[in-house]
Every structure is written in structure tokens, then in C-alpha cells.
Amino acid sequence: MLLTKETLLGKSLEELTEWVQQQGQPAYRGKQLHQWLYQKGARSLEEISVFPKIWREQLIDYPVGRSTINYRTIAPDATRKYLLSLQDGLIIEAVGIPTAKRLTVCVSSQVGCPMACNFCATGKGGYDRNLKAYEIVDQVLTVQEDFQRRVSHVVFMGMGEPLLNLDEVVAAVKILNQDVGIGQRSLTISTVGLPQKIIQLANYHLQVTFAVSLHASNQTLREKLIPSAVHYPLEQLLEDCRNYVEITRRRVTFEYILLGGLNDLPHHAIELANHLRGFQSHVNLIPYNPIDEADYQRPNQQQIQTFMDVLQQHKVAASIRYSRGLEANAACGQLRFSHS
Ligand code: SAH
């Protein structure tokens, strides 16, 4: 009987050890395999030079679980955007964002996204399927290899809604932490918010940074921007976030895209501050990155600064996040399987 071959990437040290033993190899080869997969980024078993040659030749076609780089663009600010081909031929995007001290990878959690937020290019392109944990980990290893530098941070802010793929996202967090060696606090899960899911995530008691894409200071406005908000009243979302803090003892980051004239006026800042008063949270203001299918405006510098000042006057911690990679369509909201 032919058993379906499971990819090796995604397996723990124990599982890899079991696998090598099933292949008639000594247990210590499991540790070697683990190191070559997660530390050296091996793409095939053939290249694992510490393995006996005859065995390697037998395993030449064994699926490791790595994607291939289909296309790569480098923005003037050194941000790199990748289109990666998965084993079934579908394509996802990942972004590598270098600074002097950090190398951050923005990973996708789904192929496309079903949420269809009005301001986001990914949502305009449709949805295919959830990613497996190993396909998320692969994105990090790919960027690490391409930059020839250790990845220090991972943000689940690429294509997809992580909480629609919670099990695989949590599995990926554990692998990135335990097997690749990235601290949980250097991993960020970002969500638009889904009923029940925030509490489910909280109950995993992860040490990750948790970010919620809020984008509006009241329910009516939020529904205009985010179709799924109809099923999740703002009050309930904020209540779940408070419970998240309670359960995990970790603060929540709120992301707020500034859309000129729409949600960026001083009275919106006051309304937002009223919701967040006394809440252990931080607001990340993201000036809108233009996409072709929507005609929202990016506010000017003065409007952005005023919005932040009003929040701070109302004792809400806030900062402005300027997206990187804008020129290569690699910035927040611009990921959409395109070569430009
Ligand atoms: N689905 C998750 C993960 C995607 S994160 C979430 O919604 O949080 C992508 C981040 O970029 C989110 O905060 C998203 O709202 C923001 N974003 C989407 N489109 C954008 C745009 N055109 N300009 C700036 N930020 C955008």
C-alpha cells in the first residue's frame, strides 16, 4: 500500500526522530534532520551531507515542504516582496522588511482572503484555501535564506485572516518559536476580529503580540469599511479584547488605517479615545496605502499628526506606522499576486 507522504517541514524533533527510525536509520539522524530543516533551511534531503549517500539517493524525491520563489521584487527601501509557488501550484506572497537591527517577515496565513475589506487589495482577489503550518514556516525560511540573515520578527499581516485558520497559525507559532528559534514576543498575530475566535486564541495563552484591525471609531463606519463587521458589533469586539488582556495578561495593539476625510477627523479620534480609555492597549495609526480598486485618500501629514495628538491628549498610547515597501506594492493592503 502506498502511504501518502507527509512533508517533513512542520514536524517536531520527536516526529522527525520517529520518521528516521521508520526509515531504518538511527535516532540521532532525527536531530540532524531537524537542524538541517529548521536551521540550515535544507530544501531537499539530497543536500543533507551528513546523511549516508545511499539513503539520500533513495529519498531524492521525498517532499520536504518548501515553496519555490516564483518572482521577487526589491523596493527602493530594501523591502523584498516574494511570490511563492506552493506544491499545488497556488501562489502566495511574503514580504521581507530589513532594518539595521531587525529582519521582519510579513507572512500570509491563507491563499487570498475571504474577508473582502474595502480598502485591501488582497480581499479583491478572492480566496482559495487555508495554509498549512509548514507553508507559513516556509515563508520565514525562504526570506531568511534570501537575505542570508536571521529573521528576528514575524508578523501575520500578509494575505489572509489568521483567525480563520487558527489551528495552523497556532501550530506555526509554536514551530517558529521552538524549532526556528524566534521568541514568541517577536511574533505578531493581526486580525480583523471574528466572533468567538479572539477568546479561543486567548485560551492558547501564547506570549505573542496581538493586533486587532479596528479602523473605525463606531459601528456604522466600521461596517462601511469591513463587510464582516455586520456580524460583530464594535462593543462585543472591544469586550472580547478586554477579556483577551484579562486571560493573557498581554496588551492589545489596535491598528487604525487613516482614510482621508472618512475616519481621520478629530471627532473620530475623540470617539476612539472614549472606547479605549483605561484599556491596556496601544494604537498603531497606518496612513492608507493606495490601491487601484478603491478611491480612498491618504491624509496629509498635518491630519495624521492631529489625529495622534488628540488620542494622546486623551491618554491613549498611539504611534504612526509608515508602511515599508510602498513602491513595490509590498506594503500593508497591497498584497495581491501581482508582479508589480
Ligand atoms: N486579516 C488580518 C491580517 C492582514 S493585516 C487583519 O486584518 O488584521 C494587514 C494590515 O494592513 C491590517 O491592519 C489591514 O487592515 C492593513 N491594511 C489593509 N489594506 C491597507 C491599505 N490599503 N493601506 C494601509 N493598511 C492596510
Side-chain angles (χ1 to χ4, degrees):
M1 192 178 72
L2 203 78
L3 292 171
T4 20
K5 290 177 179 173
E6 267 187 50
T7 57
L8 296 174
L9 194 68
K11 288 188 193 292
S12 66
L13 177 57
E14 293 70 32
E15 289 165 338
L16 291 172
T17 304
E18 207 174 293
W19 184 80
V20 294
Q21 287 177 307
Q22 280 165 6
Q23 303 283 319
Q25 295 291 322
Y28 71 88
R29 298 244 180 259
K31 203 168 178 188
Q32 290 177 329
L33 180 53
H34 184 267
Q35 210 209 353
W36 278 75
L37 287 178
Y38 293 110
Q39 302 305 318
K40 295 184 193 265
R43 291 184 161 273
S44 71
L45 290 170
E46 198 199 355
E47 69 191 71
I48 306 184
S49 55
V50 290
F51 285 175
K53 200 152 188 272
I54 299 174
W55 191 40
R56 276 192 279 156
E57 278 164 8
Q58 285 166 5
L59 294 173
I60 220 157
D61 292 325
Y62 200 94
V64 164
R66 296 301 306 271
S67 67
T68 51
I69 298 180
N70 173 292
Y71 189 80
R72 183 188 78 170
T73 78
I74 306 183
D77 68 3
T79 295
R80 299 184 190 181
K81 181 173 88 166
Y82 307 84
L83 298 189
L84 304 177
S85 300
L86 305 174
Q87 277 169 322
D88 60 3
L90 291 176
I91 288 187
I92 52 165
E93 295 201 3
V95 182
I97 309 157
T99 64
K101 292 205 178 113
R102 294 180 173 200
L103 175 55
T104 301
V105 183
C106 178
V107 293
S108 295
S109 56
Q110 299 184 308
V111 186
C113 185
M115 302 308 292
C117 299
N118 289 342
F119 45 80
C120 179
T122 305
K124 309 279 177 194
Y127 165 74
D128 277 297
R129 66 171 173 87
N130 278 331
L131 291 182
K132 292 286 182 194
Y134 79 86
E135 293 172 316
I136 297 173
V137 174
D138 163 76
Q139 298 171 56
V140 175
L141 296 176
T142 297
V143 174
Q144 189 153 277
E145 177 186 349
D146 191 52
F147 274 86
Q148 288 289 299
R149 188 179 156 190
R150 298 285 300 184
V151 166
S152 62
H153 292 74
V154 176
V155 295
F156 287 78
M157 297 187 184
M159 295 178 149
E161 169 44 52
L163 295 196
L164 284 176
N165 189 15
L166 189 56
D167 291 347
E168 297 296 320
V169 164
V170 170
V173 162
K174 292 192 171 153
I175 297 167
L176 290 172
N177 182 225
Q178 291 163 15
D179 302 297
V180 180
I182 305 171
Q184 279 203 20
R185 287 183 161 80
S186 305
L187 307 175
T188 301
I189 295 180
S190 176
T191 178
V192 74
L194 293 162
Q196 281 100 44
K197 294 285 180 184
I198 291 179
I199 301 303
Q200 273 180 35
L201 175 66
N203 285 325
Y204 281 101
H205 293 278
L206 301 175
Q207 296 293 300
V208 298
T209 302
F210 180 55
V212 173
S213 293
L214 202 58
H215 306 326
S217 54
N218 61 60
Q219 177 66 10
T220 313
L221 192 51
R222 197 160 191 269
E223 285 180 18
K224 278 195 194 137
L225 303 173
I226 302 170
S228 66
V230 177
H231 308 291
Y232 202 13
L234 187 60
E235 290 298 336
Q236 185 62 52
L237 168 62
L238 293 171
E239 178 64 25
D240 290 347
C241 291
R242 283 194 193 89
N243 287 328
Y244 183 94
V245 175
E246 191 75 13
I247 294 168
T248 62
R249 303 269 153 218
R250 306 209 22 99
R251 75 174 189 183
V252 175
T253 299
F254 290 108
E255 293 161 283
Y256 193 103
I257 300 183
L258 291 169
L259 301 160
L262 204 67
N263 69 354
D264 69 334
L265 302 172
H267 76 264
H268 295 121
I270 293 169
E271 198 172 33
L272 180 61
N274 286 337
H275 285 300
L276 301 185
R277 182 161 305 122
F279 193 150
Q280 212 185 332
S281 64
H282 183 95
V283 177
N284 253 336
L285 300 172
I286 316 169
Y288 169 67
N289 299 317
I291 62 166
D292 287 343
E293 300 87 340
D295 55 5
Y296 296 118
Q297 302 300 314
R298 188 184 176 104
N300 68 32
Q301 201 51 44
Q302 183 59 45
Q303 290 162 315
I304 297 169
Q305 191 59 46
T306 304
F307 196 93
M308 185 160 92
D309 291 345
V310 173
L311 284 182
Q312 288 178 342
Q313 280 155 19
H314 288 78
K315 309 257 180 298
V316 171
S319 48
I320 302 168
R321 186 176 85 200
Y322 287 100
S323 303
R324 303 268 307 269
L326 205 56
E327 298 86 345
N329 275 336
C332 303
Q334 296 185 315
L335 303 186
R336 46 142 350 126
F337 319 109
S338 76
H339 282 198
S340 60

